[in-house]
Amino acid sequence: MNPNKPSLHFKLDAHSGEARAGVLTTRHGPIETPVFMPVGTGGTVKGIRFEELESTDLDARIILGNTYHLWLRPGVDVIRAAGGLHRFIGWDRALLTDSGGFQVWSLGALRKISEEGTEFRSHVDGSLRFLSPEVSMEVQAALGSDIVMVFDECVRSDASHEETERSMELTARWARRSKQAFEQLQATGADTGYQEVEGLSGTQALFGIIQGAGFHDLRRKSLERTVEIGFDGYAIGGLSVGEEKSVMFGVLEDIAPQMPKESPRYLMGVGTPEDLVESVARGVDMFDCVLPTRNGRTGQAFTSRGKLNIKNAQWTKDSRPLDESCGCSVCRRHSRSYLRHLYMSGEILASILLTHHNLAFFLDTMRGVRQSIRSGDFPKFRREFTERLSANGE
Amino acid sequence: MNPNKPSLHFKLDAHSGEARAGVLTTRHGPIETPVFMPVGTGGTVKGIRFEELESTDLDARIILGNTYHLWLRPGVDVIRAAGGLHRFIGWDRALLTDSGGFQVWSLGALRKISEEGTEFRSHVDGSLRFLSPEVSMEVQAALGSDIVMVFDECVRSDASHEETERSMELTARWARRSKQAFEQLQATGADTGYQEVEGLSGTQALFGIIQGAGFHDLRRKSLERTVEIGFDGYAIGGLSVGEEKSVMFGVLEDIAPQMPKESPRYLMGVGTPEDLVESVARGVDMFDCVLPTRNGRTGQAFTSRGKLNIKNAQWTKDSRPLDESCGCSVCRRHSRSYLRHLYMSGEILASILLTHHNLAFFLDTMRGVRQSIRSGDFPKFRREFTERLSANGE
């Protein structure tokens, strides 16, 4: 990458134990960390308009896109024609794109993994597709995301040590190829979403991914390999895929302190509100998870007093908002009774409103986390947050 | 009704031929006419948040609710517990509720119509229900809508003169019973959505409905009967139910000039943008229709150059907005290419954005209609609007 045009700055400005607060600066604006990134798989955070994501209620500074999904539909040519993913979807804030590795693993039927890459059938049209580190980097260059993820492989949480090690080593070799392909694309200003700049040089950042499931020795080896290659940030993958919570926190406690202190740390696909706070306490800076959006669509609200299932008959005439401590536009306006009615009637507005509230709750939780780290009150915040959650208002 | 607490004012302030512009004042604010009312059948205008309905983009001043749907689900007791429909749904602007007559006719399985009322099976849970003028008035009192509709009967557009006359006469008798029940409820301040006032007295308005299908003699007779009873406004029902366009405009041309000049005229369930403009030209003040919302959810956009089917492959890489003449938030931000991608991917956001644009187009058309009547340019507006529509930009 061109050192004169750094794609990403990360500056830590407060600590509380292992917990860190800072600012990640992208070419699409600054992002205060720790940060939660809403998931916008197919070019939309499901059920919510971009105007709402930008509103003070939510103020999401970065969202996710997914290489696998966008590559299959609408396809790179469509997004390229629009001038990249930002312009295609109409979002002028930061975007991180996942590499497609996880989706091939979790969605792709008839996978065939080789050293070269992964062959699979598209879940959209059944066509045979081939994804590799090089293809993933090319697609992500065309998408023009601010943060690109290396192409990795996941293993089942119950895989053996041997199988996990083999997979982790493959991920390490793919990480090297990802970086080579990425640097080539950046250097040559190859096909990119950024039509307004001459070439891509240095405008994207690349994150490595640490694998190794629940085996601490493999996690450490994976970390070493990944840091050796050198990335703009480091992600921890392969957690929250079915293993016990204690396994996840065990890995974090072991690995986070070993990770480069000056680089952002991203825990992929995690998690519940309590997971976020507990992982911040173990040194994580970035998160993404489908829980607020997906559960919103199935009638589950996250509140400061725990989860609330809007289907429950007990809310039939309940005039209270979803969360009496929440100041979001949904809680300011609508009752549990009304939201239950919408959900029971199969109305789109149920998904829209529950998604909005859930995202507001996740993003507001992270605001509280950041403020408390900066003010030195994070231990108190963490304790009270956990106590309230388990009080369970239902 | 209590003459000291009039529920509704209607003041005409401009004319252009038969077209009229005025202001309808309800206890939930003033409404400039001619007006289009988005349909909020089950307590939600499908696919759009109330904040958007209130935004300058749309600025809907009155929406519809439906007695039939809300009575079946969530039920009157739930809405009563919230303090009426306005509070239940969180909408502080005007509400008009349809009486349920049309829905029993179009949705109710196993209808059995008698002089007393209509017995039918709920489409929600199959239970046997009975709706009559008295029941409909009671339900609408509990809903606390600003404008209540009499309970009427519809006939098929191909019904004989004899059958249509029998039905029209039944509607007239039901209209009288509706008014009696309504006045009783208003006078006694019976069970009402308005908890903040003592009793309901005069806070609701009641509209009569003129039936008679395409038979001008029956329409005239229906009008006479209805005016004889006396209502706060007069609706024309039973049009746009399958008959030819020329039949509808023929009825309007014959009937509108006979209708009370000082009362609002409401053409129920109509229509396309061109129907609205053409009906205004024939003297109509109020409209409601599911087209902008329903068609939005099935991928059809209304634009100043005609309809646009977002599914069409020709939009795959089209960077233009749905309507280049539209200033709504969807057209300011999103391309046909992106909207097509959302629709083809089955994303909720496709429904949300197309619904928003369609409502913006309908409401903006009515703004144009009102302004042109006031400025004396309605004939020009009407001509240019029609020409543009038929230009068809697809």
Side-chain angles (χ1 to χ4, degrees):
Chain A
M1 287 196 293
N2 182 341
N4 298 321
K5 293 173 73 181
S7 51
L8 207 71
H9 291 280
F10 185 52
K11 193 173 176 305
L12 288 170
D13 50 40
H15 289 77
S16 172
E18 290 294 321
R20 309 132 46 101
V23 180
L24 184 67
T25 306
T26 71
R27 66 189 295 279
H28 285 95
I31 301 158
E32 288 188 69
T33 63
V35 63
F36 178 79
M37 305 181 280
V39 177
T41 309
T44 156
V45 179
K46 286 180 194 294
I48 193 159
R49 291 182 63 167
F50 291 101
E51 288 85 351
E52 296 294 340
L53 290 169
E54 291 165 351
S55 70
T56 51
D57 250 22
L58 274 64
D59 197 18
R61 294 303 179 100
I62 176 168
I63 63 174
L64 247 69
N66 193 280
T67 301
Y68 170 89
H69 287 92
L70 293 165
W71 184 47
L72 298 184
R73 186 171 54 194
V76 172
D77 58 328
V78 172
I79 296 173
R80 184 183 290 144
L85 187 56
H86 289 86
R87 289 184 178 189
F88 179 63
I89 68 178
W91 172 251
D92 203 35
R93 297 187 175 188
L95 280 168
L96 179 150
T97 44
D98 199 358
S99 66
F102 181 80
Q103 284 68 32
V104 168
W105 177 72
S106 64
L107 293 174
L110 300 173
R111 264 175 305 131
K112 217 175 82 186
I113 300 172
S114 65
E115 183 65 31
E116 186 55 21
T118 310
E119 194 175 66
F120 64 97
R121 287 206 179 273
S122 157
H123 78 285
V124 174
D125 62 8
S127 64
L128 204 60
R129 309 292 288 247
F130 181 75
L131 202 50
S132 66
E134 291 76 16
V135 174
S136 179
M137 293 305 110
E138 277 167 32
V139 174
Q140 291 183 79
L143 296 178
S145 44
D146 300 272
I147 299 176
V148 168
M149 300 303 299
V150 298
F151 188 68
D152 62 338
E153 205 217 358
C154 270
V155 288
R156 298 190 320 280
S157 62
D158 61 352
S160 68
H161 188 278
E162 194 189 342
E163 193 185 342
T164 306
E165 180 162 28
R166 200 168 42 223
S167 170
M168 181 276 284
E169 294 284 3
L170 180 63
T171 287
R173 292 192 297 276
W174 283 1
R176 197 170 287 280
R177 281 167 52 192
S178 290
K179 178 146 189 223
Q180 279 166 358
F182 176 82
E183 289 194 327
Q184 178 98 15
L185 288 159
Q186 300 286 314
T188 61
D191 183 23
T192 155
Y194 295 120
Q195 296 186 329
E196 74 269 36
V197 296
E198 289 205 9
L200 195 63
S201 319
T203 55
Q204 290 185 294
L206 183 64
F207 277 26
I209 304 177
I210 298 155
Q211 292 287 358
F215 302 106
H216 291 203
D217 61 323
L218 298 182
R219 285 282 177 186
R220 287 187 178 223
K221 212 181 274 184
S222 180
L223 173 59
E224 275 168 36
R225 299 278 158 92
T226 313
V227 172
E228 199 178 277
I229 301 168
F231 292 97
D232 298 307
Y234 296 91
I236 301 170
L239 288 179
S240 202
V241 291
E243 80 285 356
E244 294 287 323
K245 282 264 146 116
S246 59
V247 173
M248 177 170 92
F249 291 130
V251 169
L252 288 183
E253 283 158 20
D254 191 52
I255 286 300
Q258 315 284 331
M259 291 173 79
K261 298 239 171 306
E262 303 306 318
S263 302
R265 303 164 180 170
Y266 164 28
L267 180 56
M268 303 181 82
V270 174
T272 63
E274 47 271 50
D275 288 345
L276 302 187
V277 173
E278 289 307 306
S279 300
V280 166
R282 290 162 174 86
V284 176
D285 307 305
M286 301 168 72
F287 303 89
D288 79 281
C289 191
V290 295
L291 277 180
T293 41
R294 179 178 294 165
N295 291 21
R297 297 195 303 282
T298 56
Q300 191 176 67
F302 291 91
T303 82
S304 60
R305 294 179 168 271
K307 289 181 205 160
L308 182 157
N309 188 332
I310 201 64
K311 293 184 280 289
N312 286 355
Q314 72 187 111
W315 313 130
T316 304
K317 295 184 186 179
D318 196 315
S319 63
R320 289 175 298 168
L322 287 172
D323 186 344
E324 289 176 286
S325 310
C326 179
C328 84
S329 57
V330 178
C331 288
R332 287 200 307 271
R333 185 160 202 157
H334 297 299
S335 66
R336 297 179 192 180
S337 171
Y338 179 60
L339 293 167
R340 178 174 189 273
H341 163 63
L342 292 178
Y343 189 85
M344 299 308 281
S345 305
E347 290 286 353
I348 294 178
L349 194 58
S351 292
I352 296 173
L353 298 178
L354 286 170
T355 297
H356 183 101
H357 165 78
N358 282 349
L359 283 173
F361 181 68
F362 272 63
L363 290 161
D364 197 54
T365 296
M366 296 310 278
R367 257 189 295 278
V369 162
R370 291 192 298 266
Q371 282 166 6
S372 69
I373 295 174
R374 292 218 166 85
S375 65
D377 294 326
F378 180 66
K380 181 163 171 272
F381 175 92
R382 179 184 176 188
R383 190 176 60 247
E384 291 179 355
F385 184 78
T386 310
E387 281 171 10
R388 259 200 316 276
L389 273 185
S390 52
N392 205 319
E394 292 207 18
Chain B
M1 289 196 292
N2 182 342
N4 298 321
K5 293 173 74 182
S7 52
L8 206 70
H9 292 281
F10 184 52
K11 193 172 175 304
L12 288 170
D13 51 38
H15 289 77
S16 171
E18 290 295 320
R20 308 134 45 102
V23 179
L24 184 67
T25 305
T26 71
R27 65 188 297 278
H28 285 94
I31 301 158
E32 288 188 69
T33 62
V35 64
F36 178 79
M37 306 182 280
V39 177
T41 308
T44 156
V45 178
K46 287 183 192 293
I48 192 157
R49 293 181 63 167
F50 293 101
E51 288 85 352
E52 296 293 341
L53 290 169
E54 292 164 351
S55 72
T56 50
D57 249 22
L58 275 63
D59 197 19
R61 294 302 178 100
I62 176 168
I63 62 174
L64 246 70
N66 193 281
T67 301
Y68 170 89
H69 287 92
L70 293 165
W71 184 46
L72 298 184
R73 185 169 56 192
V76 172
D77 58 328
V78 171
I79 296 173
R80 185 181 288 143
L85 187 56
H86 288 87
R87 289 183 178 190
F88 178 62
I89 68 178
W91 172 252
D92 204 34
R93 297 187 176 189
L95 280 168
L96 179 150
T97 44
D98 199 358
S99 66
F102 181 80
Q103 285 68 34
V104 167
W105 177 70
S106 65
L107 294 172
L110 301 172
R111 264 175 305 131
K112 216 175 82 186
I113 300 173
S114 66
E115 183 64 33
E116 184 56 20
T118 309
E119 194 175 69
F120 64 96
R121 288 209 179 271
S122 157
H123 78 284
V124 174
D125 62 7
S127 64
L128 205 59
R129 310 292 288 249
F130 181 76
L131 202 51
S132 66
E134 290 75 17
V135 173
S136 179
M137 293 305 110
E138 277 168 31
V139 173
Q140 292 184 78
L143 297 178
S145 44
D146 299 271
I147 299 175
V148 169
M149 301 302 298
V150 298
F151 188 67
D152 62 338
E153 204 216 358
C154 268
V155 287
R156 297 190 320 280
S157 62
D158 60 353
S160 68
H161 188 278
E162 195 191 341
E163 193 184 341
T164 305
E165 182 163 27
R166 200 169 44 224
S167 171
M168 181 275 284
E169 294 284 2
L170 180 63
T171 287
R173 292 192 298 277
W174 283 0
R176 197 171 287 282
R177 280 169 53 195
S178 289
K179 179 149 186 218
Q180 278 165 358
F182 175 83
E183 289 193 328
Q184 178 97 15
L185 288 159
Q186 301 286 313
T188 61
D191 181 23
T192 156
Y194 296 119
Q195 295 187 330
E196 75 269 34
V197 295
E198 288 206 9
L200 194 62
S201 318
T203 56
Q204 291 185 296
L206 182 65
F207 277 26
I209 304 179
I210 298 155
Q211 291 288 359
F215 302 105
H216 291 202
D217 62 322
L218 298 182
R219 284 283 176 186
R220 286 185 178 224
K221 211 181 274 185
S222 180
L223 173 60
E224 275 168 36
R225 301 277 157 91
T226 313
V227 172
E228 198 178 278
I229 300 168
F231 293 97
D232 298 307
Y234 296 90
I236 301 170
L239 288 178
S240 203
V241 291
E243 80 286 355
E244 294 287 324
K245 282 263 145 113
S246 58
V247 173
M248 178 169 91
F249 292 130
V251 169
L252 289 183
E253 283 158 22
D254 191 53
I255 287 300
Q258 316 285 332
M259 292 174 76
K261 297 242 172 301
E262 303 305 317
S263 303
R265 303 165 180 170
Y266 163 28
L267 180 55
M268 304 182 81
V270 174
T272 63
E274 47 272 50
D275 288 344
L276 302 188
V277 173
E278 290 306 308
S279 300
V280 165
R282 289 164 174 83
V284 176
D285 306 306
M286 301 168 70
F287 303 90
D288 79 281
C289 191
V290 295
L291 277 180
T293 42
R294 179 179 294 165
N295 290 20
R297 297 196 303 282
T298 57
Q300 191 176 67
F302 290 91
T303 82
S304 59
R305 294 181 166 269
K307 290 180 202 159
L308 184 156
N309 189 332
I310 202 64
K311 293 185 280 290
N312 286 355
Q314 71 187 111
W315 314 130
T316 305
K317 296 184 185 177
D318 196 315
S319 63
R320 290 176 297 169
L322 286 173
D323 187 343
E324 290 176 284
S325 310
C326 179
C328 85
S329 57
V330 178
C331 287
R332 288 199 307 271
R333 185 161 202 157
H334 298 299
S335 66
R336 297 179 192 180
S337 170
Y338 178 60
L339 293 168
R340 178 175 189 273
H341 163 64
L342 293 177
Y343 189 85
M344 300 306 283
S345 304
E347 290 286 355
I348 294 178
L349 193 58
S351 292
I352 296 172
L353 298 178
L354 287 171
T355 297
H356 183 101
H357 164 77
N358 283 350
L359 283 173
F361 181 68
F362 272 63
L363 291 161
D364 197 53
T365 296
M366 296 311 278
R367 257 188 296 277
V369 162
R370 291 191 298 266
Q371 282 165 8
S372 68
I373 295 173
R374 292 218 166 83
S375 65
D377 295 326
F378 180 66
K380 182 163 171 271
F381 175 92
R382 179 184 177 191
R383 192 176 58 246
E384 291 179 355
F385 183 78
T386 310
E387 279 170 11
R388 258 200 317 277
L389 274 184
S390 53
N392 205 317
E394 290 207 15

